Amino acid sequence: ESFFVFLLEKFLFLESRFALELKEIEYEYIPVHLVKDGGEQLQDKYAAVNPMKAVPTFVDSNGFQISQSGAILEYLDEVYPEKFKLLPDSPADRAIVRKLSNTIGCDIQPIQNLRILKAVGELKMEWGKRWITEGFEALEKMLESSAGTYCFGDNITMADLFLAPQVYNANRFSVDMDKFPIISRINAALQEHPAWKKSEPSAMPDAQ
């Protein structure tokens, strides 16, 4: 048994939960609330697990701890390779999937983290919408050459695990998704997958 720690702001950290459901890995879900009591991730108890005081954090049954969504996903793929390989076999194909994943996970998503939005203040909705839109414009171009049913061909990869939560976030910031037909088509396919239905925000035990 493994357990996985992340916060109540579910739209930001669905990648790892989606992977756990895809791979049918049993886990204990321990929510960490970003706002309650000043932010549970900032308290000493959580900082002892993750010194960055960020989420998510994954801890396996041997006590091995790893944070950062991309690192968690690659760890899960290597330790549990039997079902739903998240990265393709060839180095070139893996590089493309990592590029797509990092475009979302490193270039688009972090700009909407709570600590950034707090610093932006009253303009946070405009801020989020602007940077998601600009990021999606680039991502849509990339997907023109890589996408099939999903971001890379017709199998779910790590890139798709980053895409679905970011589209969820885009809707929160009122991004015009009609401008991004490939992203929208892929997201619609992902929404129908049983693993997504088990991991999407309303299915979480602490859904509000």
Side-chain angles (χ1 to χ4, degrees):
E1 183 181 69
S2 299
F3 67 86
F4 170 57
V5 183
F6 63 96
L7 79 164
L8 190 63
E9 295 282 348
K10 295 171 282 292
F11 52 83
L12 297 180
F13 301 102
L14 289 166
E15 302 95 344
S16 301
R17 185 177 171 95
F18 195 0
L20 290 164
E21 295 293 350
L22 278 172
K23 289 177 171 289
E24 298 181 0
I25 301 169
E26 292 186 6
Y27 62 96
E28 178 184 357
Y29 166 63
I30 304 175
V32 178
H33 201 299
L34 254 186
V35 179
K36 184 180 178 182
D37 298 326
E40 292 179 346
Q41 80 283 6
L42 302 177
Q43 297 174 10
D44 291 343
K45 181 179 180 180
Y46 186 77
V49 176
N50 186 339
M52 277 297 293
K53 303 177 182 179
V55 289
T57 299
F58 177 86
V59 186
D60 71 13
S61 57
N62 296 316
F64 174 72
Q65 301 175 4
I66 186 72
S67 59
Q68 298 293 340
S69 293
I72 293 170
L73 295 181
E74 293 211 33
Y75 175 77
L76 292 175
D77 209 36
E78 293 176 7
V79 175
Y80 302 96
E82 300 84 7
K83 184 173 289 189
F84 272 103
K85 289 183 65 176
L86 301 178
L87 287 167
D89 291 329
S90 82
D93 289 348
R94 287 200 298 272
I96 293 171
V97 170
R98 288 185 175 115
K99 176 190 74 172
L100 296 170
S101 301
N102 289 340
T103 296
I104 301 169
C106 299
D107 293 340
I108 302 175
Q109 186 276 319
I111 304 174
Q112 301 106 54
N113 279 349
L114 182 58
R115 61 182 179 179
I116 304 299
L117 295 179
K118 283 183 175 180
V120 172
E122 294 181 359
L123 297 177
K124 63 183 180 181
M125 293 302 294
E126 293 86 346
W127 171 274
K129 182 177 181 179
R130 171 189 172 181
W131 294 112
I132 296 172
T133 299
E134 289 193 14
F136 273 10
E137 287 170 354
L139 182 64
E140 184 83 3
K141 286 286 186 183
M142 296 177 193
L143 292 171
E144 288 177 0
S145 60
S146 69
T149 303
Y150 301 109
C151 287
F152 186 80
D154 295 324
N155 295 314
I156 291 176
T157 65
M158 184 167 70
D160 299 291
L161 274 60
F162 278 94
L163 182 75
Q166 188 58 56
V167 174
Y168 187 94
N169 201 24
N171 290 328
R172 176 175 177 263
F173 283 95
S174 301
V175 171
D176 182 3
M177 292 304 300
D178 289 339
K179 295 180 179 179
F180 310 111
I182 301 175
I183 293 173
S184 296
R185 174 179 57 76
I186 295 169
N187 184 63
L190 291 167
Q191 302 301 304
E192 296 303 313
H193 198 284
W196 171 259
K197 292 181 179 180
K198 291 180 181 179
S199 59
E200 61 96 15
S202 65
M204 293 187 182
D206 58 333
Q208 294 183 348

